Amino acid sequence: MGGYMGRILRVDLSSGKIVDVETSKDLISKYIGGLGFVVRILWDEIDERTDPLGPENRLVIATGPLTGTMFPAAGRYQMGAKSPLTGVWGQSNSGGFFGPELKFSGYDAIIIQGRSERPVYLCIYDGKPEIKKADHLWGKNTYETADMIREELDDREVKIAAIGQAGENLVRYAAVINDYGNAAGRTGMGAVMGSKKLKAIAVRGFNSVNVADPEKFERVLEKAYDLVLNKWGKAYRESLTTYGTPNLVDAINDMGRMPVKNHWTGYWDKAEKIGGYTIRRLYRVKQGSCFGCLAQCKYFVKTKQEGLSGLFKGPEYEAIVSLGSCLLIDNFDAVAYANNLADLYGMDSISLGMTIAWAMECYEKGIITKEDAGVDLSWGNYEAVIQLIHDIAFRRGFGNILAEGSYRASRIIGRGSEKYAMHVKGLEISAQDGRAQQSSGLTHATAARGADHLTSLSCLEERGYANVAAERYGEDKVKDLVDPLSTKYKGMLVKDLEDLYALGNSLIICWYEVGWPPVFYFDEMAEALHVVTGVDLFSSVSYVREAAERIVILRRMFNIREGLRRKDDTLPERFLREPMPSGPAKGHVCRLDEMLDEYYEHRGIDKTTGIPKDETLIRLGLGDLAGRYR
């Protein structure tokens, strides 16, 4: 069988036991890889009694069948555990080079359980796993950790995924950082590693990924590269390749859906000061790329302001919003500096910035005082933000409260502060606004890990994609699908994209080949999967679609088991009842109820409870779950 290494590494940090297990054919045929592997393993091995920061929680790191091949942007890995931030489903993924290197080291996935008595790191060198002491690494930031491990192993090509001080101190949104600034950021996977006293995972491999039919794969690659370089090449060159994801700042602000001032509005007249054009002209010094990617959206910047100067990996769009526009900071030097601190300490920049944004709005409303916070939390005060980032990473003073995330912090503070915590299911909302793009509101509300744009975010409402909407869903639906303020057909759209993204995250390839621009759909991905693996079942697009749906439904069942129901598929009051105050979507709210029932209907979910129907579970081969949790 091609595409898989055939082995999964199981590590028990409590006992120090390491074993290889076979990557089962049943797991492959039903769950494909990447996200699918993570979903099935976590469902089987933990439950609602599992403490996210306890030794019994599992941390699963998985690659996909395309990882490490020459298929465009197949350089990511998936990570999952029960989330210490939300208490429910937790997942994150990251680019760079760690994922392919894990594959080259001989493994499809790693399952980590238990808790070490002392700091350790896991080293997999040339297929030989070993638990090594990490006392000397504890207290170091993610970059220092990577440098020290490479020096210790005397190999600069070792790829390392590490936590910083935030993970060590169990900041609930601590991230795992690999390859200097590539973050598996969301839902606190770094805190899970910290709770297990696992400082890092280092991998170095010398294997290659076998392909079942190399000749056919060459033809698949020709088609894939033609789509990326020719059909969609202009979109890449004029946006991601030229400006990186900061290009979205200017574009999405013009659409009126770029969050500003803790999601108060979606338009800011100062956005260009921290946008892609300004960054490229004044700050950018170098371009970068993840493994096998043609977009090359990574970049490096040099800041010059005294106290904020340095050479940093450039912040992505999401970080520019969470650490910039949502805090009313229009100083890019400060945004880049704050983002670099998040990378060094190992924190999710979205939850970090949005938790501080919550505190700033509470400060404005008089709920939090300077005495409470220890700093002046006025909007735009970047010096206070930088101080708080240090305090959060080490859980000092008010930073200890902010380290809990906005949902938990608001319940600690009370006094009506809960109203200003912009979260879904405990996860801070990312850089979109459902009032200006109705489908993104539905995406945030229904996503399993909380307010998550990478679960099913649509780009069809953006300019130039009417032809894609017509091709996929029919001419009769185009008018509503491309209208960001229409709710019609958006339940169907979000369901379809949720399946599509689940497949992409299982193969695993980057969102910028699956989501924006809309390069690969089910047909292209199923063909690549079949040719690489040689699995006959994967020759059927309908079978592959069903596998993606199975992954989505089992992931939802994980949250159902934790007690979540329809009432949890919702948004903060701001999006549902406070009309957008400015910009193209002025006067609009997110009309979630108009979309939610349609989404449930297409997904096969009971509209009253939010639980998948028994017939849905049976159809997807999950009949043993039918009748449970009613």
Side-chain angles (χ1 to χ4, degrees):
M1 184 187 300
Y4 301 95
M5 308 310 287
R7 295 189 299 166
I8 293 175
L9 183 66
R10 184 176 287 275
V11 180
D12 188 332
L13 294 174
S14 295
S15 66
K17 185 178 180 180
I18 301 176
V19 296
D20 281 9
V21 296
E22 180 184 359
T23 307
S24 76
K25 291 181 179 179
D26 187 64
L27 183 65
I28 288 170
S29 65
K30 292 180 179 177
Y31 295 94
I32 299 173
L35 174 62
F37 282 9
V38 173
V39 170
R40 185 71 242 189
I41 292 167
L42 289 180
W43 173 267
D44 288 340
E45 300 199 13
I46 63 175
D47 59 27
E48 67 274 19
R49 296 164 296 183
T50 301
D51 178 358
L53 295 175
E56 66 275 14
N57 198 6
R58 303 293 196 266
L59 181 69
V60 183
I61 303 162
T63 64
L66 297 188
T67 304
T69 71
M70 291 308 295
F71 196 85
R76 303 186 75 83
Y77 68 94
Q78 190 77 43
M79 180 177 283
K82 191 171 184 180
S83 168
L85 178 65
T86 67
V88 292
W89 174 260
Q91 74 178 76
S92 194
N93 71 61
S94 179
F97 295 84
F98 180 87
E101 199 71 28
L102 174 59
K103 197 90 168 280
F104 301 153
S105 72
Y107 292 99
D108 295 313
I110 307 171
I111 304 170
I112 301 170
Q113 64 191 70
R115 174 187 289 143
S116 174
E117 293 184 359
R118 62 190 302 173
V120 295
Y121 75 92
L122 174 64
C123 178
I124 309 172
Y125 199 95
D126 196 16
K128 300 178 181 66
E130 181 182 0
I131 298 173
K132 291 178 171 285
K133 295 178 182 178
D135 303 78
H136 59 301
L137 302 174
W138 207 253
K140 304 298 183 183
N141 68 43
T142 60
Y143 287 16
E144 292 169 336
T145 299
D147 286 339
M148 292 172 70
I149 290 176
R150 288 191 172 110
E151 183 176 352
E152 184 176 314
L153 299 177
D154 193 26
D155 190 339
R156 296 299 303 172
E157 297 304 314
V158 173
K159 304 301 184 290
I160 296 152
I163 61 171
Q165 295 93 331
E168 295 173 4
N169 292 312
L170 307 186
V171 174
R172 289 187 182 270
Y173 44 86
V176 180
I177 307 292
N178 63 273
D179 303 323
Y180 301 109
N182 291 290
R186 309 237 67 190
T187 67
M189 297 299 99
V192 176
M193 282 182 63
S195 73
K196 296 180 178 302
K197 287 290 193 294
L198 179 63
K199 180 63 175 178
I201 303 169
V203 293
R204 181 74 162 104
F206 301 92
N207 297 296
S208 58
V209 181
N210 292 324
V211 173
D213 193 328
E215 290 186 9
K216 285 186 179 179
F217 188 52
E218 284 187 18
R219 294 195 289 273
V220 167
L221 289 178
E222 287 177 5
K223 289 170 59 178
Y225 277 69
D226 182 62
L227 284 172
V228 174
L229 292 173
N230 297 320
K231 182 176 180 179
W232 294 104
K234 184 178 180 181
Y236 281 117
R237 288 190 296 273
E238 293 182 357
S239 58
L240 290 176
T241 304
T242 302
Y243 301 103
T245 63
N247 172 70
L248 296 171
V249 172
D250 308 279
I252 292 181
N253 187 58
D254 288 344
M255 298 174 194
R257 64 177 174 93
M258 188 184 85
V260 179
K261 196 180 178 185
N262 196 30
H263 284 277
W264 176 70
T265 188
Y267 178 80
W268 196 26
D269 58 6
K270 295 182 179 181
E272 67 175 307
K273 297 179 71 174
I274 54 174
Y277 302 103
T278 298
I279 295 170
R280 182 173 177 85
R281 189 176 76 253
L282 300 178
Y283 296 95
R284 194 165 110 164
V285 294
K286 188 178 180 182
Q287 194 167 350
S289 174
C290 296
F291 176 93
C293 183
L294 303 174
Q296 300 181 354
C297 67
K298 304 298 181 184
Y299 69 106
F300 296 84
V301 296
K302 188 173 183 180
T303 58
K304 299 178 182 179
Q305 182 175 330
E306 185 177 354
L308 303 174
S309 62
L311 179 64
F312 308 131
K313 190 164 188 180
E316 306 286 353
Y317 164 71
E318 292 283 343
I320 291 173
V321 169
S322 61
L323 297 170
S325 62
C326 263
L327 306 178
L328 293 190
I329 295 175
D330 60 6
N331 180 334
F332 181 75
D333 293 74
V335 174
Y337 188 87
N339 182 72
N340 185 61
L341 286 180
D343 287 343
L344 292 175
Y345 287 138
M347 284 189 277
D348 174 30
S349 59
I350 301 174
S351 287
L352 171 65
M354 293 311 305
T355 300
I356 295 174
W358 160 80
M360 282 187 164
E361 184 158 11
C362 289
Y363 188 83
E364 178 187 45
K365 298 290 194 282
I367 297 171
I368 292 174
T369 66
K370 187 174 182 179
E371 288 70 29
D372 293 325
V375 292
D376 176 2
L377 280 176
S378 298
W379 294 110
N381 186 350
Y382 64 80
E383 292 176 331
V385 170
I386 290 169
Q387 180 59 54
L388 284 177
I389 293 174
H390 293 302
D391 291 343
I392 291 168
F394 291 96
R395 282 188 171 268
R396 296 187 299 234
F398 189 60
N400 188 46
I401 295 176
L402 298 183
E404 295 292 297
S406 62
Y407 169 76
R408 293 171 186 267
S410 70
R411 277 146 183 77
I412 293 171
I413 296 296
R415 304 194 291 270
S417 65
E418 298 91 340
K419 177 180 178 181
Y420 305 107
M422 298 296 115
H423 73 91
V424 175
K425 302 179 179 74
L427 183 68
E428 286 71 24
I429 297 176
S430 52
Q432 301 79 35
D433 194 308
R435 294 171 293 182
Q437 184 187 15
Q438 296 292 318
S439 65
S440 72
L442 180 61
T443 286
H444 286 154
T446 57
R449 70 175 178 178
D452 174 21
H453 60 294
L454 295 179
T455 289
S456 55
L457 182 67
S458 168
C459 70
L460 297 184
E461 294 90 334
E462 298 174 17
R463 294 182 293 273
Y465 296 129
N467 60 328
V468 177
E471 181 181 337
R472 292 182 179 180
Y473 308 110
E475 290 280 358
D476 60 316
K477 299 181 177 65
V478 170
K479 181 180 177 181
D480 288 292
L481 287 175
V482 301
D483 180 357
L485 297 178
S486 172
T487 59
K488 195 173 183 180
Y489 304 124
K490 298 301 168 67
M492 174 273 296
L493 176 65
V494 167
K495 183 271 180 190
D496 188 65
L497 292 178
E498 193 172 24
D499 291 343
L500 182 69
Y501 291 5
L503 178 58
N505 280 329
S506 297
L507 291 178
I508 164 179
I509 55 179
C510 184
W511 187 80
Y512 285 111
E513 263 73 19
V514 180
W516 185 95
V519 179
F520 301 126
Y521 199 47
F522 290 100
D523 296 39
E524 292 87 0
M525 289 196 283
E527 182 182 23
L529 175 61
H530 176 234
V531 170
V532 167
T533 65
V535 176
D536 289 339
L537 289 170
F538 295 157
S539 65
S540 167
V541 176
S542 62
Y543 180 89
V544 173
R545 273 181 171 268
E546 186 176 276
E549 190 177 356
R550 180 182 302 113
I551 293 165
V552 172
I553 287 294
L554 187 58
R555 181 174 58 182
R556 185 176 185 88
M557 288 301 295
F558 185 98
N559 282 350
I560 295 297
R561 185 170 65 181
E562 294 292 333
L564 270 59
R565 297 294 184 269
R566 178 182 174 125
K567 64 179 175 56
D568 300 293
D569 288 342
T570 190
L571 296 169
E573 182 180 296
R574 171 155 293 165
F575 299 90
L576 301 176
R577 296 184 179 85
E578 297 179 18
M580 182 76 79
S582 61
K586 183 177 180 179
H588 288 270
V589 297
C590 181
R591 305 189 304 280
L592 180 62
D593 286 343
E594 295 177 20
M595 300 179 284
L596 192 56
D597 280 352
E598 183 196 349
Y599 167 81
Y600 284 159
E601 182 177 346
H602 284 281
R603 181 54 78 199
I605 291 174
D606 182 87
K607 295 177 184 179
T608 302
T609 64
I611 301 173
K613 296 178 180 177
D614 286 352
E615 53 262 38
T616 301
L617 295 169
I618 293 169
R619 176 174 59 83
L620 296 173
L622 300 171
D624 58 315
L625 305 184
R628 294 195 199 179
Y629 315 113
R630 299 296 176 193

